[in-house]
Every structure is written in C-alpha cells, then in structure tokens.
Amino acid sequence: MLREIDDIVVQLDGLRRELDQVNANLERHRHPVRYFSSYAVPYALIPSLFLVIAHILVTIVFNISPLPLRLASVVIPLLFGFAAYRVHKVSANGAFMLAFCTAALSVHAMLTVTGIHDKVPILPGPWIEWREVIEYGASILLAFVSGNILAALIFHVLPRVLAQGGKPNAFAFRAARLLGQHVGEEQLRRRARLIQDLMHTVGPLAGVAITAIGSIYAGLKGILT
C-alpha cells in the first residue's frame, strides 16, 4: 500500500510539472510581451542593476580593491538564478538565456559607466582587455546557472528521490547485482535504492560544482594572478 501511494505521489508530481509547462507555453503564445518581460525584468534587468550599483560603489565611490565586486558578481547572479527556478521553475535552457542577458547587460553597463567616468573608450582595446571582460561575463553567467541548478536539485531532484520510496528501477537492480549477488533480497533492494539515488543526484551536484568553480575562477582569476 505504501509503495502504491509513493507511486501516485510521483505521478502527481510529474503531472503537475507537465501542467505548469503547458500553462507557461499558453501564456507565451497568448501574451508574448508580458511573458518575456515577466522573466527578463526580475531575472536579468534587476540583477544587472544590482551589479552596476556594486560596480559604482566599489570602483568609483569607495575606489577600493575589486575583490568585493568580483564576489558580488558571483553571489548576486547565483541568488537570482536560484530564485528563477524556485519561483518560476525556469528550465536550464531558460536559465542560460537569462544568464547570458544578465551578463551582457551588466558588463556593458559597467563598461559604459567606467568610460563616462574616466573619459576613456567604452569598448576594450587590446585583446587582453577583451579577455578580461569575457571572463568576467562568463563568471556572472556561470554563477546564475549554478544557482538555477542548485535550486532544481533542492526543490525537484531531492524531493523526487525521497518520494520514490523503496522501489528502485531495473537498471539500479542490475547494477546492485553486479556488485555482489550473494546477499539477501532486502539488502539487494537497499543497495539498488542507493545506486538509484546516486544516479539522480550526482549529475546535478556535479553541475553545481562545475559551474560554481568555473564562476569563481573566471571572476577572481584577474585579481589573484
């Protein structure tokens, strides 16, 4: 009975996600401007504004080391990427597009502010300056994507794993038998369940780790080397 209830919970969760996706598609086709603005404003424009404010405070108002700005450029997009999934269930593809827009808007605005304040060309000149700008933008983009993956892991992957109860799939059972067949059925089931849980969680965890490390490296590389 408990396993049947677990299966029903998993099915209902899948149906709810499909319904949310259908409603989002309908909204996109019926009101495209309102649909895209409802994502672009909170998850691209606002974080870009915060990043530009941080840039002005660090480089112009206080004129201090760029380290706080680089740290803010990781934390701010990460939080907005997290919120994008938590609030609107933004998918990985959508998060990448929002991350790209956030990085492009914020970096261009920062270059404009610096150019006007210092009375220098807005666009970088030598390739080394372009490389620094690209790395900085990549840091913002990867931080946003990292936050989105982290939210998906916490609010989608882990609840789905916990809701699956004690019914591992056939592949997990086969993998468990390869590790040793001379065990009891209950121990084999627990081993298969562990393998299945790892299969569902390792991917998102690796995604969070890779994007977070990449964001921090790209953001801090210029000031730590």
Side-chain angles (χ1 to χ4, degrees), residues 13 16 78-79 81-83 85-86 89 146-163 200-201 203-205 208:
D13 184 62
R16 179 179 57 80
L78 186 146
L79 293 176
F82 188 95
Y85 186 90
R86 181 68 181 95
K89 299 295 187 294
S146 177
N148 181 262
I149 298 175
L150 179 62
L153 175 65
I154 294 175
F155 298 109
H156 173 60
V157 176
L158 291 181
R160 186 182 64 180
V161 168
L162 295 176
H200 287 153
T201 56
L205 281 174
V208 172

PDB file of all heavy atoms in Angstrom, residues 13 16 78-79 81-83 85-86 89 146-163 200-201 203-205 208:
ATOM      1  N   ASP A  13       3.234  14.451  -9.095  1.00  0.00           N
ATOM      2  CA  ASP A  13       4.274  15.474  -9.232  1.00  0.00           C
ATOM      3  C   ASP A  13       4.641  15.668 -10.697  1.00  0.00           C
ATOM      4  O   ASP A  13       4.815  16.800 -11.161  1.00  0.00           O
ATOM      5  CB  ASP A  13       5.505  15.064  -8.424  1.00  0.00           C
ATOM      6  CG  ASP A  13       6.587  16.133  -8.460  1.00  0.00           C
ATOM      7  OD1 ASP A  13       6.340  17.258  -7.996  1.00  0.00           O
ATOM      8  OD2 ASP A  13       7.698  15.827  -8.956  1.00  0.00           O
ATOM      9  N   ARG A  16       1.850  17.532 -12.407  1.00  0.00           N
ATOM     10  CA  ARG A  16       1.843  18.950 -12.027  1.00  0.00           C
ATOM     11  C   ARG A  16       2.893  19.714 -12.815  1.00  0.00           C
ATOM     12  O   ARG A  16       2.643  20.823 -13.289  1.00  0.00           O
ATOM     13  CB  ARG A  16       2.103  19.089 -10.522  1.00  0.00           C
ATOM     14  CG  ARG A  16       2.146  20.532 -10.044  1.00  0.00           C
ATOM     15  CD  ARG A  16       2.382  20.588  -8.543  1.00  0.00           C
ATOM     16  NE  ARG A  16       3.601  19.898  -8.179  1.00  0.00           N
ATOM     17  CZ  ARG A  16       4.811  20.445  -8.303  1.00  0.00           C
ATOM     18  NH1 ARG A  16       4.952  21.661  -8.796  1.00  0.00           N
ATOM     19  NH2 ARG A  16       5.874  19.765  -7.941  1.00  0.00           N
ATOM     20  N   LEU A  78      23.996  34.260  -8.671  1.00  0.00           N
ATOM     21  CA  LEU A  78      23.669  32.943  -8.118  1.00  0.00           C
ATOM     22  C   LEU A  78      22.322  32.980  -7.408  1.00  0.00           C
ATOM     23  O   LEU A  78      21.484  32.088  -7.594  1.00  0.00           O
ATOM     24  CB  LEU A  78      24.770  32.494  -7.157  1.00  0.00           C
ATOM     25  CG  LEU A  78      24.639  31.055  -6.613  1.00  0.00           C
ATOM     26  CD1 LEU A  78      26.031  30.455  -6.421  1.00  0.00           C
ATOM     27  CD2 LEU A  78      23.899  31.025  -5.275  1.00  0.00           C
ATOM     28  N   LEU A  79      22.070  34.028  -6.617  1.00  0.00           N
ATOM     29  CA  LEU A  79      20.807  34.141  -5.899  1.00  0.00           C
ATOM     30  C   LEU A  79      19.630  34.314  -6.855  1.00  0.00           C
ATOM     31  O   LEU A  79      18.557  33.736  -6.658  1.00  0.00           O
ATOM     32  CB  LEU A  79      20.868  35.319  -4.925  1.00  0.00           C
ATOM     33  CG  LEU A  79      21.833  35.170  -3.748  1.00  0.00           C
ATOM     34  CD1 LEU A  79      21.863  36.440  -2.915  1.00  0.00           C
ATOM     35  CD2 LEU A  79      21.449  33.981  -2.881  1.00  0.00           C
ATOM     36  N   GLY A  81      19.563  33.313 -10.021  1.00  0.00           N
ATOM     37  CA  GLY A  81      19.381  32.041 -10.709  1.00  0.00           C
ATOM     38  C   GLY A  81      18.623  31.047  -9.842  1.00  0.00           C
ATOM     39  O   GLY A  81      17.771  30.295 -10.331  1.00  0.00           O
ATOM     40  N   PHE A  82      18.919  31.057  -8.556  1.00  0.00           N
ATOM     41  CA  PHE A  82      18.211  30.206  -7.595  1.00  0.00           C
ATOM     42  C   PHE A  82      16.728  30.577  -7.554  1.00  0.00           C
ATOM     43  O   PHE A  82      15.850  29.711  -7.614  1.00  0.00           O
ATOM     44  CB  PHE A  82      18.846  30.369  -6.212  1.00  0.00           C
ATOM     45  CG  PHE A  82      18.335  29.412  -5.179  1.00  0.00           C
ATOM     46  CD1 PHE A  82      19.008  28.222  -4.926  1.00  0.00           C
ATOM     47  CD2 PHE A  82      17.198  29.691  -4.445  1.00  0.00           C
ATOM     48  CE1 PHE A  82      18.546  27.331  -3.968  1.00  0.00           C
ATOM     49  CE2 PHE A  82      16.718  28.806  -3.489  1.00  0.00           C
ATOM     50  CZ  PHE A  82      17.398  27.627  -3.249  1.00  0.00           C
ATOM     51  N   ALA A  83      16.455  31.878  -7.464  1.00  0.00           N
ATOM     52  CA  ALA A  83      15.072  32.347  -7.399  1.00  0.00           C
ATOM     53  C   ALA A  83      14.314  32.063  -8.689  1.00  0.00           C
ATOM     54  O   ALA A  83      13.102  31.802  -8.662  1.00  0.00           O
ATOM     55  CB  ALA A  83      15.045  33.844  -7.096  1.00  0.00           C
ATOM     56  N   TYR A  85      14.407  29.486 -10.585  1.00  0.00           N
ATOM     57  CA  TYR A  85      13.818  28.151 -10.550  1.00  0.00           C
ATOM     58  C   TYR A  85      12.807  28.026  -9.423  1.00  0.00           C
ATOM     59  O   TYR A  85      11.739  27.445  -9.597  1.00  0.00           O
ATOM     60  CB  TYR A  85      14.891  27.075 -10.385  1.00  0.00           C
ATOM     61  CG  TYR A  85      14.297  25.683 -10.484  1.00  0.00           C
ATOM     62  CD1 TYR A  85      14.207  25.047 -11.720  1.00  0.00           C
ATOM     63  CD2 TYR A  85      13.791  25.027  -9.358  1.00  0.00           C
ATOM     64  CE1 TYR A  85      13.641  23.793 -11.825  1.00  0.00           C
ATOM     65  CE2 TYR A  85      13.211  23.778  -9.459  1.00  0.00           C
ATOM     66  CZ  TYR A  85      13.135  23.160 -10.697  1.00  0.00           C
ATOM     67  OH  TYR A  85      12.546  21.923 -10.798  1.00  0.00           O
ATOM     68  N   ARG A  86      13.136  28.598  -8.285  1.00  0.00           N
ATOM     69  CA  ARG A  86      12.246  28.451  -7.117  1.00  0.00           C
ATOM     70  C   ARG A  86      10.892  29.090  -7.370  1.00  0.00           C
ATOM     71  O   ARG A  86       9.849  28.525  -7.003  1.00  0.00           O
ATOM     72  CB  ARG A  86      12.903  29.096  -5.886  1.00  0.00           C
ATOM     73  CG  ARG A  86      12.069  28.966  -4.608  1.00  0.00           C
ATOM     74  CD  ARG A  86      12.018  27.530  -4.165  1.00  0.00           C
ATOM     75  NE  ARG A  86      11.215  27.354  -2.975  1.00  0.00           N
ATOM     76  CZ  ARG A  86       9.929  27.012  -2.969  1.00  0.00           C
ATOM     77  NH1 ARG A  86       9.297  26.815  -4.119  1.00  0.00           N
ATOM     78  NH2 ARG A  86       9.265  26.848  -1.850  1.00  0.00           N
ATOM     79  N   LYS A  89      10.126  28.160 -11.862  1.00  0.00           N
ATOM     80  CA  LYS A  89      10.532  26.871 -12.427  1.00  0.00           C
ATOM     81  C   LYS A  89      11.232  27.038 -13.785  1.00  0.00           C
ATOM     82  O   LYS A  89      10.973  26.306 -14.740  1.00  0.00           O
ATOM     83  CB  LYS A  89       9.324  25.946 -12.577  1.00  0.00           C
ATOM     84  CG  LYS A  89       8.625  25.610 -11.277  1.00  0.00           C
ATOM     85  CD  LYS A  89       9.530  24.808 -10.367  1.00  0.00           C
ATOM     86  CE  LYS A  89       8.794  24.322  -9.131  1.00  0.00           C
ATOM     87  NZ  LYS A  89       8.370  25.434  -8.250  1.00  0.00           N
ATOM     88  N   SER A 146      24.598  28.184 -12.016  1.00  0.00           N
ATOM     89  CA  SER A 146      24.858  27.390 -10.822  1.00  0.00           C
ATOM     90  C   SER A 146      23.715  27.517  -9.821  1.00  0.00           C
ATOM     91  O   SER A 146      23.276  26.526  -9.239  1.00  0.00           O
ATOM     92  CB  SER A 146      26.174  27.841 -10.175  1.00  0.00           C
ATOM     93  OG  SER A 146      26.416  27.126  -8.981  1.00  0.00           O
ATOM     94  N   GLY A 147      23.218  28.731  -9.621  1.00  0.00           N
ATOM     95  CA  GLY A 147      22.088  28.927  -8.716  1.00  0.00           C
ATOM     96  C   GLY A 147      20.845  28.216  -9.197  1.00  0.00           C
ATOM     97  O   GLY A 147      20.088  27.638  -8.392  1.00  0.00           O
ATOM     98  N   ASN A 148      20.614  28.231 -10.511  1.00  0.00           N
ATOM     99  CA  ASN A 148      19.450  27.550 -11.068  1.00  0.00           C
ATOM    100  C   ASN A 148      19.534  26.044 -10.863  1.00  0.00           C
ATOM    101  O   ASN A 148      18.557  25.391 -10.470  1.00  0.00           O
ATOM    102  CB  ASN A 148      19.343  27.885 -12.559  1.00  0.00           C
ATOM    103  CG  ASN A 148      18.145  27.230 -13.217  1.00  0.00           C
ATOM    104  OD1 ASN A 148      18.266  26.181 -13.841  1.00  0.00           O
ATOM    105  ND2 ASN A 148      16.983  27.840 -13.071  1.00  0.00           N
ATOM    106  N   ILE A 149      20.711  25.466 -11.108  1.00  0.00           N
ATOM    107  CA  ILE A 149      20.882  24.018 -10.916  1.00  0.00           C
ATOM    108  C   ILE A 149      20.739  23.645  -9.447  1.00  0.00           C
ATOM    109  O   ILE A 149      20.138  22.623  -9.099  1.00  0.00           O
ATOM    110  CB  ILE A 149      22.250  23.561 -11.457  1.00  0.00           C
ATOM    111  CG1 ILE A 149      22.356  23.827 -12.959  1.00  0.00           C
ATOM    112  CG2 ILE A 149      22.478  22.073 -11.179  1.00  0.00           C
ATOM    113  CD1 ILE A 149      23.728  23.522 -13.536  1.00  0.00           C
ATOM    114  N   LEU A 150      21.279  24.486  -8.571  1.00  0.00           N
ATOM    115  CA  LEU A 150      21.178  24.215  -7.135  1.00  0.00           C
ATOM    116  C   LEU A 150      19.720  24.195  -6.687  1.00  0.00           C
ATOM    117  O   LEU A 150      19.303  23.317  -5.917  1.00  0.00           O
ATOM    118  CB  LEU A 150      21.956  25.271  -6.363  1.00  0.00           C
ATOM    119  CG  LEU A 150      21.925  25.153  -4.834  1.00  0.00           C
ATOM    120  CD1 LEU A 150      22.545  23.835  -4.387  1.00  0.00           C
ATOM    121  CD2 LEU A 150      22.657  26.326  -4.189  1.00  0.00           C
ATOM    122  N   ALA A 151      18.928  25.156  -7.172  1.00  0.00           N
ATOM    123  CA  ALA A 151      17.516  25.186  -6.816  1.00  0.00           C
ATOM    124  C   ALA A 151      16.778  23.973  -7.362  1.00  0.00           C
ATOM    125  O   ALA A 151      15.917  23.392  -6.687  1.00  0.00           O
ATOM    126  CB  ALA A 151      16.873  26.474  -7.336  1.00  0.00           C
ATOM    127  N   ALA A 152      17.108  23.572  -8.604  1.00  0.00           N
ATOM    128  CA  ALA A 152      16.483  22.377  -9.180  1.00  0.00           C
ATOM    129  C   ALA A 152      16.827  21.137  -8.364  1.00  0.00           C
ATOM    130  O   ALA A 152      15.984  20.255  -8.169  1.00  0.00           O
ATOM    131  CB  ALA A 152      16.941  22.204 -10.626  1.00  0.00           C
ATOM    132  N   LEU A 153      18.056  21.069  -7.877  1.00  0.00           N
ATOM    133  CA  LEU A 153      18.472  19.938  -7.046  1.00  0.00           C
ATOM    134  C   LEU A 153      17.685  19.905  -5.742  1.00  0.00           C
ATOM    135  O   LEU A 153      17.191  18.849  -5.328  1.00  0.00           O
ATOM    136  CB  LEU A 153      19.969  20.039  -6.761  1.00  0.00           C
ATOM    137  CG  LEU A 153      20.555  18.999  -5.798  1.00  0.00           C
ATOM    138  CD1 LEU A 153      20.456  17.605  -6.387  1.00  0.00           C
ATOM    139  CD2 LEU A 153      22.004  19.335  -5.460  1.00  0.00           C
ATOM    140  N   ILE A 154      17.539  21.058  -5.105  1.00  0.00           N
ATOM    141  CA  ILE A 154      16.888  21.107  -3.794  1.00  0.00           C
ATOM    142  C   ILE A 154      15.377  20.919  -3.898  1.00  0.00           C
ATOM    143  O   ILE A 154      14.778  20.175  -3.106  1.00  0.00           O
ATOM    144  CB  ILE A 154      17.201  22.452  -3.099  1.00  0.00           C
ATOM    145  CG1 ILE A 154      18.702  22.541  -2.782  1.00  0.00           C
ATOM    146  CG2 ILE A 154      16.367  22.613  -1.828  1.00  0.00           C
ATOM    147  CD1 ILE A 154      19.122  23.878  -2.216  1.00  0.00           C
ATOM    148  N   PHE A 155      14.751  21.564  -4.876  1.00  0.00           N
ATOM    149  CA  PHE A 155      13.287  21.587  -4.922  1.00  0.00           C
ATOM    150  C   PHE A 155      12.674  20.605  -5.911  1.00  0.00           C
ATOM    151  O   PHE A 155      11.450  20.452  -5.932  1.00  0.00           O
ATOM    152  CB  PHE A 155      12.807  23.001  -5.263  1.00  0.00           C
ATOM    153  CG  PHE A 155      13.200  24.027  -4.244  1.00  0.00           C
ATOM    154  CD1 PHE A 155      14.174  24.969  -4.533  1.00  0.00           C
ATOM    155  CD2 PHE A 155      12.616  24.044  -2.990  1.00  0.00           C
ATOM    156  CE1 PHE A 155      14.552  25.913  -3.584  1.00  0.00           C
ATOM    157  CE2 PHE A 155      12.988  24.977  -2.044  1.00  0.00           C
ATOM    158  CZ  PHE A 155      13.956  25.911  -2.334  1.00  0.00           C
ATOM    159  N   HIS A 156      13.499  19.948  -6.721  1.00  0.00           N
ATOM    160  CA  HIS A 156      12.934  18.984  -7.668  1.00  0.00           C
ATOM    161  C   HIS A 156      13.575  17.606  -7.540  1.00  0.00           C
ATOM    162  O   HIS A 156      12.874  16.615  -7.342  1.00  0.00           O
ATOM    163  CB  HIS A 156      13.104  19.508  -9.099  1.00  0.00           C
ATOM    164  CG  HIS A 156      12.715  18.513 -10.143  1.00  0.00           C
ATOM    165  ND1 HIS A 156      11.442  17.992 -10.233  1.00  0.00           N
ATOM    166  CD2 HIS A 156      13.426  17.902 -11.140  1.00  0.00           C
ATOM    167  CE1 HIS A 156      11.381  17.131 -11.235  1.00  0.00           C
ATOM    168  NE2 HIS A 156      12.576  17.056 -11.794  1.00  0.00           N
ATOM    169  N   VAL A 157      14.900  17.549  -7.660  1.00  0.00           N
ATOM    170  CA  VAL A 157      15.569  16.244  -7.685  1.00  0.00           C
ATOM    171  C   VAL A 157      15.458  15.537  -6.344  1.00  0.00           C
ATOM    172  O   VAL A 157      15.031  14.370  -6.276  1.00  0.00           O
ATOM    173  CB  VAL A 157      17.053  16.416  -8.086  1.00  0.00           C
ATOM    174  CG1 VAL A 157      17.772  15.073  -8.009  1.00  0.00           C
ATOM    175  CG2 VAL A 157      17.152  16.985  -9.495  1.00  0.00           C
ATOM    176  N   LEU A 158      15.833  16.209  -5.259  1.00  0.00           N
ATOM    177  CA  LEU A 158      15.810  15.554  -3.946  1.00  0.00           C
ATOM    178  C   LEU A 158      14.404  15.148  -3.513  1.00  0.00           C
ATOM    179  O   LEU A 158      14.217  14.013  -3.040  1.00  0.00           O
ATOM    180  CB  LEU A 158      16.452  16.476  -2.901  1.00  0.00           C
ATOM    181  CG  LEU A 158      17.961  16.683  -3.049  1.00  0.00           C
ATOM    182  CD1 LEU A 158      18.489  17.586  -1.945  1.00  0.00           C
ATOM    183  CD2 LEU A 158      18.702  15.348  -3.029  1.00  0.00           C
ATOM    184  N   PRO A 159      13.368  16.016  -3.659  1.00  0.00           N
ATOM    185  CA  PRO A 159      12.018  15.553  -3.310  1.00  0.00           C
ATOM    186  C   PRO A 159      11.561  14.361  -4.149  1.00  0.00           C
ATOM    187  O   PRO A 159      10.885  13.467  -3.648  1.00  0.00           O
ATOM    188  CB  PRO A 159      11.138  16.786  -3.589  1.00  0.00           C
ATOM    189  CG  PRO A 159      12.054  17.937  -3.426  1.00  0.00           C
ATOM    190  CD  PRO A 159      13.374  17.461  -3.959  1.00  0.00           C
ATOM    191  N   ARG A 160      11.940  14.339  -5.434  1.00  0.00           N
ATOM    192  CA  ARG A 160      11.562  13.214  -6.281  1.00  0.00           C
ATOM    193  C   ARG A 160      12.242  11.938  -5.814  1.00  0.00           C
ATOM    194  O   ARG A 160      11.626  10.865  -5.787  1.00  0.00           O
ATOM    195  CB  ARG A 160      11.938  13.507  -7.735  1.00  0.00           C
ATOM    196  CG  ARG A 160      11.447  12.442  -8.707  1.00  0.00           C
ATOM    197  CD  ARG A 160      11.889  12.758 -10.117  1.00  0.00           C
ATOM    198  NE  ARG A 160      13.344  12.721 -10.250  1.00  0.00           N
ATOM    199  CZ  ARG A 160      13.982  12.960 -11.382  1.00  0.00           C
ATOM    200  NH1 ARG A 160      13.311  13.293 -12.462  1.00  0.00           N
ATOM    201  NH2 ARG A 160      15.303  12.898 -11.423  1.00  0.00           N
ATOM    202  N   VAL A 161      13.513  12.055  -5.422  1.00  0.00           N
ATOM    203  CA  VAL A 161      14.235  10.882  -4.928  1.00  0.00           C
ATOM    204  C   VAL A 161      13.602  10.366  -3.642  1.00  0.00           C
ATOM    205  O   VAL A 161      13.392   9.162  -3.469  1.00  0.00           O
ATOM    206  CB  VAL A 161      15.722  11.239  -4.696  1.00  0.00           C
ATOM    207  CG1 VAL A 161      16.423  10.123  -3.919  1.00  0.00           C
ATOM    208  CG2 VAL A 161      16.423  11.460  -6.027  1.00  0.00           C
ATOM    209  N   LEU A 162      13.271  11.291  -2.733  1.00  0.00           N
ATOM    210  CA  LEU A 162      12.673  10.886  -1.463  1.00  0.00           C
ATOM    211  C   LEU A 162      11.277  10.303  -1.638  1.00  0.00           C
ATOM    212  O   LEU A 162      10.847   9.445  -0.865  1.00  0.00           O
ATOM    213  CB  LEU A 162      12.620  12.085  -0.510  1.00  0.00           C
ATOM    214  CG  LEU A 162      13.982  12.639  -0.066  1.00  0.00           C
ATOM    215  CD1 LEU A 162      13.793  13.884   0.785  1.00  0.00           C
ATOM    216  CD2 LEU A 162      14.769  11.585   0.707  1.00  0.00           C
ATOM    217  N   ALA A 163      10.558  10.769  -2.660  1.00  0.00           N
ATOM    218  CA  ALA A 163       9.196  10.305  -2.875  1.00  0.00           C
ATOM    219  C   ALA A 163       9.124   8.965  -3.581  1.00  0.00           C
ATOM    220  O   ALA A 163       8.058   8.368  -3.678  1.00  0.00           O
ATOM    221  CB  ALA A 163       8.418  11.330  -3.691  1.00  0.00           C
ATOM    222  N   HIS A 200      20.462   9.871  -9.574  1.00  0.00           N
ATOM    223  CA  HIS A 200      19.617  11.050  -9.721  1.00  0.00           C
ATOM    224  C   HIS A 200      20.255  12.316  -9.175  1.00  0.00           C
ATOM    225  O   HIS A 200      19.901  13.415  -9.601  1.00  0.00           O
ATOM    226  CB  HIS A 200      18.276  10.812  -9.013  1.00  0.00           C
ATOM    227  CG  HIS A 200      17.390   9.853  -9.742  1.00  0.00           C
ATOM    228  ND1 HIS A 200      16.436   9.083  -9.098  1.00  0.00           N
ATOM    229  CD2 HIS A 200      17.315   9.509 -11.054  1.00  0.00           C
ATOM    230  CE1 HIS A 200      15.809   8.335  -9.988  1.00  0.00           C
ATOM    231  NE2 HIS A 200      16.331   8.570 -11.173  1.00  0.00           N
ATOM    232  N   THR A 201      21.164  12.167  -8.218  1.00  0.00           N
ATOM    233  CA  THR A 201      21.704  13.349  -7.553  1.00  0.00           C
ATOM    234  C   THR A 201      23.120  13.726  -7.979  1.00  0.00           C
ATOM    235  O   THR A 201      23.493  14.898  -7.876  1.00  0.00           O
ATOM    236  CB  THR A 201      21.701  13.140  -6.023  1.00  0.00           C
ATOM    237  OG1 THR A 201      22.429  11.950  -5.701  1.00  0.00           O
ATOM    238  CG2 THR A 201      20.282  13.033  -5.495  1.00  0.00           C
ATOM    239  N   GLY A 203      24.521  13.895 -10.960  1.00  0.00           N
ATOM    240  CA  GLY A 203      24.553  14.808 -12.101  1.00  0.00           C
ATOM    241  C   GLY A 203      24.338  16.257 -11.710  1.00  0.00           C
ATOM    242  O   GLY A 203      25.159  17.130 -12.014  1.00  0.00           O
ATOM    243  N   PRO A 204      23.209  16.578 -11.034  1.00  0.00           N
ATOM    244  CA  PRO A 204      23.002  17.958 -10.598  1.00  0.00           C
ATOM    245  C   PRO A 204      24.079  18.469  -9.649  1.00  0.00           C
ATOM    246  O   PRO A 204      24.486  19.629  -9.736  1.00  0.00           O
ATOM    247  CB  PRO A 204      21.639  17.899  -9.900  1.00  0.00           C
ATOM    248  CG  PRO A 204      20.945  16.743 -10.529  1.00  0.00           C
ATOM    249  CD  PRO A 204      22.015  15.744 -10.817  1.00  0.00           C
ATOM    250  N   LEU A 205      24.549  17.616  -8.745  1.00  0.00           N
ATOM    251  CA  LEU A 205      25.615  18.044  -7.835  1.00  0.00           C
ATOM    252  C   LEU A 205      26.886  18.390  -8.606  1.00  0.00           C
ATOM    253  O   LEU A 205      27.547  19.397  -8.317  1.00  0.00           O
ATOM    254  CB  LEU A 205      25.906  16.932  -6.818  1.00  0.00           C
ATOM    255  CG  LEU A 205      24.933  16.812  -5.640  1.00  0.00           C
ATOM    256  CD1 LEU A 205      25.267  15.579  -4.813  1.00  0.00           C
ATOM    257  CD2 LEU A 205      24.997  18.059  -4.753  1.00  0.00           C
ATOM    258  N   VAL A 208      26.361  21.758 -10.309  1.00  0.00           N
ATOM    259  CA  VAL A 208      26.530  22.880  -9.377  1.00  0.00           C
ATOM    260  C   VAL A 208      28.002  23.126  -9.099  1.00  0.00           C
ATOM    261  O   VAL A 208      28.482  24.268  -9.125  1.00  0.00           O
ATOM    262  CB  VAL A 208      25.772  22.611  -8.055  1.00  0.00           C
ATOM    263  CG1 VAL A 208      26.104  23.669  -7.021  1.00  0.00           C
ATOM    264  CG2 VAL A 208      24.274  22.586  -8.302  1.00  0.00           C
TER     265      VAL A 208
END
